Amino acid sequence: MKPVVFGLVGTGWRAEFFIRIARLVPDRFVLAAVYTRTSEKAAELAASGLRAVTDWDAFAAVPMDFAVVSV
C-alpha cells in the first residue's frame, strides 16, 4: 500500500501528535512539510529532520495528498 503524503500547518502541542504518528508508522504516513510562522521554529524542526517552511507558497508547492491544519 502506498503511504499517505500530508502536510502540516502549525507547530503546537496538537501538531506534535501528527508528527509522532508520521514517525511511528512511516510505511503508512509521510509528512512532506510543516508550515510555521517563525524561522526559529522552522530551524528547530529542520534540525529534527523535518522539512519546515515559513513561506505559504513554498508550503503549497510541496506535493501532498492533503494538509492538516493544527493551529
Side-chain angles (χ1 to χ4, degrees):
M1 178 186 331
K2 180 183 164 204
V4 175
V5 180
F6 72 100
L8 181 60
V9 177
T11 56
W13 67 273
R14 286 181 187 96
E16 288 292 327
F17 287 103
F18 292 101
I19 293 170
R20 286 185 209 152
I21 291 167
R23 286 184 170 154
L24 287 171
V25 285
D27 57 317
R28 302 291 304 267
F29 299 102
V30 173
L31 180 52
V34 178
Y35 174 79
T36 183
R37 53 187 178 86
T38 66
S39 57
E40 293 82 11
K41 189 64 175 182
E44 181 184 318
L45 291 168
S48 74
L50 296 173
R51 180 178 183 179
V53 297
T54 58
D55 179 62
W56 181 256
D57 291 330
F59 177 77
V62 175
M64 62 184 88
D65 297 321
F66 63 88
V68 175
V69 178
S70 183
V71 295

